Amino acid sequence: MQQPDGGIRVHGARGGDLLGEAGTAAEAVALAVAHLPPGLGPAVPRSTDGRSAG
């Protein structure tokens, strides 16, 4: 969430805990990515042969 001072607050899922503040969008994305759970798979489901399941 961008703040009046230009900083960006990064929260966890569903408005959860504050993960930190960033000065740029790229820093905000990096902060969010750093807090993803280990082993998180792709956002798009894939079949066992690697093709898109949809």
Side-chain angles (χ1 to χ4, degrees), residues 19-53:
L19 301 177
E21 294 191 23
T24 67
E27 290 171 355
V29 170
L31 183 58
V33 168
H35 284 85
L36 291 174
L40 185 66
V44 178
R46 297 281 178 181
S47 64
T48 56
D49 63 4
R51 290 186 279 173
S52 179

Side-chain angles (χ1 to χ4, degrees), residues 1-11 18-35:
M1 173 179 291
Q2 189 157 9
Q3 301 302 300
D5 66 0
I8 303 167
R9 286 188 181 168
V10 181
H11 290 266
L18 178 65
L19 301 177
E21 294 191 23
T24 67
E27 290 171 355
V29 170
L31 183 58
V33 168
H35 284 85

